[in-house]
Amino acid sequence: MFRLSMLKSLLGLVVLAAAVSQVCSAQQPDTQADLTLDAAARTAVIDSLVKNLNESYVFPDVAKKMEASLRERAGKEYEQITSAKAFAETLTKDLQAVSNDKHLRVRYSFNPIPVRVERGEPTAAEREEARLNFQWRNHSFNKVERLPGNIGYLEFGGFFDPEFGGETVAAAMNFLNNTDALIIDLRQNGGGDPAMVALICSYLFGPEPVHLNDLYWRPANRTDEFWTRKEIPGKRYLNKDVYVLTSKRTFSGAEEFSYNLKNLKRATIVGETTGGGAHPGSGVRLSEHFGMFVPSGRAISPITKTNWEGTGVKPDVEVPADQALTVARLMALKKSVTKLTNPDFKAGVQAEIESLEKQVSELKAKN
C-alpha cells in the first residue's frame, strides 16, 4: 500500500523499501555478504531508528514503548551482536514483539544505501525509469486465462502504479469479460499502490462511485479516501460471481482488496487467513548499510470502521492455499452449470465438475 516507497525502491533510491513492504520477503534467504558491527555503528542505527519511529510511526505511544525496549536492550544483549545481518533480524524481531506490526522491519544491505534528498514528487527522469521498470515486470500481471467451463482467471503479484499499468488492467479485464465467473488469485500478492487497488475494484462495480477504504497518515494528520472510478478504460465485470484466492502470504494492499470486496459482498474469499498488515508507510535510510520500513498510516474501512491489522482477512471458504484454486473453480462451475441451456456446453461443464471433485478429494486425502 505504498505508492511512493514502491516507486523509490524500483529507482534504487531506497533500496530496501520493496523488500520490507512485503511480509513474504522475510521468508527469502539473505545471500548478501555480512559486515562486522562495532558499538558506534549499533548506536547510530538505533538512534536513527528511534528518531524515525517517534516522528512517523502511526501510533506515537507504541513508538515510545519500542524506544524504551530498544534502549534497554542496547546496553545488554545488543552488545554481543557483531553481525550486521543478525542485528537487523534481532531489531525486527524486538520491534514486532512490542508493536505486533508485520510491516515494521529493519533491513541490512551490504551495498551502501544512497542518501536521498527529499524534494517532493519524483523528477521526469525518475518517473520514466520507474515506468520502464514497471513495464518490464508487466505491472506484476502474470496470468490471464479462460479456464475450462468458461471461468476467468487473473493472477498478479502486486498492485503497481495505475498511471503506468492502467492499460494492462484494461486489456486483462477486456479479455475476461465474456467469462461466466472470475477468479482473482492473490495468494502470492504482497500489496502495493492503493490507487491500483481502487482501479481494479472499479471494474467489479457500476459507474456510481463506491467508497472502498480510507488511509489515515500520522505525519500529515491527513485522511485519504479511496473510491471506485466513475470512468474506466476497459469493460466492467458486472452481475457475475467473483472469487478471490488468499494465503498466509497475501499481504497489505492485497488484503485491502480482499477486505473491500468481502465487506461490500462483491466477492467470495477462498483460501487462508491473510498476513494481517494494514499499516502503510515508506522505506527510510537509517545508515549506510541499514534501512527500515516505517508504517506511518493505517487503513480505516468505511463499513467496519477498523481494518485487518494483526487479524488478517478471514476467508469465506477456508481451505489450504494449495486447494483454493480447485475449490473456487468447483464452486464457480457448480453455479454456472445451472444457467447453461446448450446441452453440449452443459455436458462439458459437468464433466469438468466431476474431474475437479476428484481432485479435491485427492488433495484432502493427501493433507
Side-chain angles (χ1 to χ4, degrees):
M1 300 171 69
F2 329 116
R3 185 173 191 175
L4 288 178
S5 66
M6 284 187 69
L7 180 59
K8 291 176 182 177
S9 66
L10 284 171
L11 293 171
L13 300 172
V14 181
V15 298
L16 302 177
V20 296
S21 71
Q22 298 187 14
V23 70
C24 61
S25 65
Q27 301 170 4
Q28 302 300 323
D30 187 350
T31 59
Q32 303 177 94
D34 205 349
L35 288 174
T36 301
L37 296 179
D38 58 19
R42 289 192 298 271
T43 298
V45 170
I46 290 174
D47 287 345
S48 180
L49 189 158
V50 165
K51 178 177 182 294
N52 278 282
L53 286 177
N54 284 326
E55 289 178 352
S56 300
Y57 186 67
V58 60
F59 297 117
D61 57 330
V62 178
K64 288 296 183 185
K65 291 177 181 178
M66 288 189 282
E67 177 183 6
S69 175
L70 295 185
R71 298 296 189 196
E72 181 181 357
R73 295 173 185 275
K76 297 177 181 178
E77 57 258 47
Y78 292 170
E79 289 185 349
Q80 310 303 316
I81 301 176
T82 57
S83 161
K85 286 185 180 182
F87 191 48
E89 293 168 358
T90 302
L91 287 173
T92 296
K93 175 177 64 69
D94 293 341
L95 290 170
Q96 291 187 357
V98 175
S99 65
N100 294 312
D101 193 325
K102 294 181 181 180
H103 272 120
L104 188 57
R105 188 171 298 280
V106 179
R107 281 294 184 189
Y108 156 72
S109 173
F110 177 77
N111 295 320
I113 302 172
V115 176
R116 174 168 173 78
V117 178
E118 295 296 339
R119 56 177 181 274
E121 291 297 316
T123 65
E126 289 170 343
R127 291 199 65 78
E128 176 60 14
E129 186 175 353
R131 184 189 69 78
L132 292 173
N133 274 305
F134 288 137
Q135 182 176 289
W136 189 86
R137 293 165 173 80
N138 198 37
H139 309 284
S140 202
F141 278 67
N142 300 319
K143 290 183 181 180
V144 184
E145 297 182 55
R146 176 183 173 273
L147 300 175
N150 200 34
I151 303 301
Y153 176 76
L154 175 62
E155 190 273 322
F156 53 102
F159 292 84
F160 283 16
D161 192 326
E163 179 182 340
F164 302 134
E167 289 184 1
T168 300
V169 176
M173 296 306 295
N174 286 345
F175 175 83
L176 296 164
N177 194 258
N178 292 323
T179 57
D180 292 331
L182 176 59
I183 297 172
I184 300 176
D185 192 343
L186 303 182
R187 288 177 293 177
Q188 301 296 321
N189 192 308
D193 190 332
M196 180 60 102
V197 173
L199 174 60
I200 298 177
C201 283
S202 299
Y203 281 85
L204 307 177
F205 294 91
E208 188 66 28
V210 176
H211 194 179
L212 298 168
N213 187 45
D214 293 338
L215 290 178
Y216 168 75
W217 303 96
R218 176 201 163 191
N221 191 28
R222 184 188 77 241
T223 299
D224 296 332
E225 295 185 352
F226 292 87
W227 296 68
T228 59
R229 297 188 182 187
K230 188 173 184 178
E231 297 181 0
I232 52 177
K235 297 179 181 178
R236 297 180 188 272
Y237 198 88
L238 304 176
N239 303 316
K240 290 182 278 192
D241 290 337
V242 177
Y243 302 85
V244 176
L245 310 185
T246 59
S247 75
K248 296 173 184 176
R249 296 168 68 90
T250 305
F251 196 63
S252 192
E255 295 182 275
E256 189 216 318
F257 185 86
S258 307
Y259 196 74
N260 292 346
L261 297 185
K262 179 178 181 178
N263 289 326
L264 290 165
K265 304 186 186 307
R266 182 61 187 93
T268 301
I269 314 301
V270 181
E272 299 171 341
T273 299
T274 61
H279 293 162
S282 60
V284 299
R285 181 185 188 272
L286 299 179
S287 70
E288 186 176 19
H289 294 284
F290 287 86
M292 73 178 297
F293 192 89
V294 182
S296 56
R298 59 186 174 92
I300 305 171
S301 166
I303 296 175
T304 67
K305 307 305 179 184
T306 183
N307 57 48
W308 58 94
E309 178 67 30
T311 62
V313 181
K314 299 186 184 305
D316 299 302
V317 180
E318 188 168 4
V319 295
D322 63 353
Q323 297 180 23
L325 176 56
T326 305
V327 170
R329 288 179 62 193
L330 188 56
M331 292 174 64
L333 288 174
K334 283 185 172 181
K335 190 165 184 180
S336 69
V337 73
T338 63
K339 302 176 183 178
L340 293 175
T341 56
N342 184 301
D344 293 333
F345 291 172
K346 195 161 190 172
V349 170
Q350 191 59 51
E352 187 66 23
I353 289 173
E354 293 171 5
S355 174
L356 291 172
E357 286 178 331
K358 183 178 179 181
Q359 291 178 41
V360 170
S361 297
E362 291 173 351
L363 286 170
K364 288 181 178 178
K366 186 185 297 184
N367 290 337

